[in-house]
Amino acid sequence: MRRYLILAPLFIAAAPASAQIWGGPTMQGPSGSSMGHDQSAAETAKIRSDIRDGRDSGQLTRRQAKRLKREAYQIDTLEERYAAGGLSPSEEAELFARREALRSDVVAKRTGARK
């Protein structure tokens, strides 16, 4: 019995450490794989390219393009700030949602679906 009392603190001390191994859920990109910083930067660059194409083709006004570019810049700035301490799943989810909202806004404005 005494042997178990001596080993009990060792098991108790090891339990919290083993509970920290799992990193939690990860945010998945459109393809279902976890998005890294390079992929998310490429996504924002693609959106910026779509904004530029829309402005060049006349599908977007100068004011619309400027507002959309500002939102893309804000997403990049926010991502840099979050990445300094490592992205948490909720931060990744926020960035992903903002990027998707911007993408759909660009498409809607370019196609004239929403003014």
Side-chain angles (χ1 to χ4, degrees), residues 35 37 40 78-79 81-92 95:
M35 286 184 70
H37 178 69
S40 59
L78 189 62
E79 184 169 19
R81 191 170 12 151
Y82 285 166
L87 290 175
S88 71
S90 64
E91 290 168 341
E92 282 187 49
L95 292 169

Side-chain angles (χ1 to χ4, degrees), residues 27-31 35 38-51 54 59-60 67-69 71-73 75-76 79 92 94-114:
M27 182 64 199
Q28 294 182 345
S31 64
M35 286 184 70
D38 293 339
Q39 290 174 320
S40 59
E43 288 291 318
T44 308
K46 169 93 172 78
I47 294 170
R48 276 200 181 92
S49 175
D50 289 345
I51 294 169
Q59 294 171 324
L60 296 173
R67 189 188 67 73
L68 293 167
K69 283 186 211 175
E71 177 64 24
Y73 174 77
I75 291 170
D76 285 343
E79 184 169 19
E92 282 187 49
E94 178 187 355
L95 292 169
F96 182 76
R98 288 184 71 162
R99 212 172 265 114
E100 288 301 307
L102 178 60
R103 182 189 331 276
S104 66
D105 202 18
V106 170
V107 170
K109 288 193 183 326
R110 284 189 71 183
T111 59
R114 196 172 23 149

Side-chain angles (χ1 to χ4, degrees), residues 49-68:
S49 175
D50 289 345
I51 294 169
R52 201 170 21 258
D53 291 346
R55 177 67 183 118
D56 292 344
S57 67
Q59 294 171 324
L60 296 173
T61 66
R62 184 172 179 226
R63 176 180 273 171
Q64 288 172 326
K66 189 174 183 178
R67 189 188 67 73
L68 293 167

